[in-house]
Amino acid sequence: MKGIIQENIKKVEQVIDESCKKAGRNRGEVTLIAVSKTKPVEMLQEAYDYGCRDFGENKVQELVDKYEVMPKDIRWHMIGHLQRNKVKYIVDKVYLIHSVDSLKLAEEISKEAVKKNVIVNILIEVNVAEEESKFGVSCKETLDLVRKISILPNVCIKGLMTIAPFVENGEENRIYFSKLKELAVDIEHENVDNISMEILSMGMTGDYPIALSEGATYVRVGTGIFGSR
Ligand SMILES: *Cc1c(COP(=O)(O)O)cnc(C)c1O
């Protein structure tokens, strides 16, 4: 097995390079998040040794367990649904929480961040495709939520995140990625204090080249790096 993960990352990196070139974008604008949920730390270590410093997890306990044993220069991304009662375990460990979709959750993050004297960077999760099974706010609700969260202490909105539908052909998701980009531009024009729309977290193994052509700054790749779960 040794070597496969590094081979996979190399391939993903090549696709990112090509996608950026095609879209006329600077590779430096894009960060690859290695989505390591359910995978053992040995596999994460292999990705780390290749140079990965951004890892995505979707469960609080798993993130904390891996945080304890992995090198301290890793940037941990919380990409899964977050329950309010678990916020306290991760506010001082995560680099970015991608999955904030309610004022109540943001208030809890703010409260715990003040207690621990840290600033927590967050993204608003938008259910662009309006899938019943998915978390996230609708496009219509997003600006109002951004305004309400923007005044909370120690929490800072950096952009938007979406999880596109599971499709055979990633091209089908282009419309959702372009909608998220458009929403970010619209919100930027509102000049809300203390927030930015610099991060667009969108695109997974099946569709990240499409997301990159529509402006993604973070792509979240799991299967394409670590294999199927
Ligand atoms: C699991 C997961 C990913 C990675 O999915 P792959 O299809 O394995 O690349 C990305 N984003 C979120 C929010 C996830 O839960």
Side-chain angles (χ1 to χ4, degrees), residues 35 37 58 79-80 161 163 166 203-206 220-224 227 229:
V35 176
K37 61 189 186 196
N58 69 341
I79 60 174
M161 178 270 228
I163 304 174
F166 183 78
M204 321 199 324
T205 298
R220 312 179 305 263
V221 179
T223 311
R229 290 177 295 271

Side-chain angles (χ1 to χ4, degrees), residues 174-189:
R174 183 180 293 279
I175 176 168
Y176 303 122
F177 298 141
S178 78
K179 264 194 180 170
L180 193 71
K181 170 75 186 183
E182 202 177 284
L183 180 60
V185 170
D186 288 348
I187 292 173
E188 213 150 39
H189 288 156

Side-chain angles (χ1 to χ4, degrees), residues 33-37 56-58 78-81 98-99 125 161-164 166 201 203-208 219-229:
I33 299 176
V35 176
S36 48
K37 61 189 186 196
E57 291 286 338
N58 69 341
M78 178 60 194
I79 60 174
H81 181 63
H98 293 230
S99 46
E125 179 172 351
M161 178 270 228
T162 197
I163 304 174
F166 183 78
S201 170
M204 321 199 324
T205 298
D207 53 23
Y208 70 95
V219 288
R220 312 179 305 263
V221 179
T223 311
I225 292 175
F226 297 107
S228 56
R229 290 177 295 271

Side-chain angles (χ1 to χ4, degrees), residues 2 16 44 69 92 94 100 122 131 136 138 147-149 151 168 175 177 181 209 220 226:
K2 184 129 181 76
I16 293 175
L44 278 70
V69 297
D92 54 348
V94 286
V100 177
I122 65 165
E131 289 182 284
S138 71
R147 286 193 200 282
K148 285 176 175 149
I149 293 176
I151 58 172
E168 280 296 314
I175 176 168
F177 298 141
K181 170 75 186 183
R220 312 179 305 263
F226 297 107

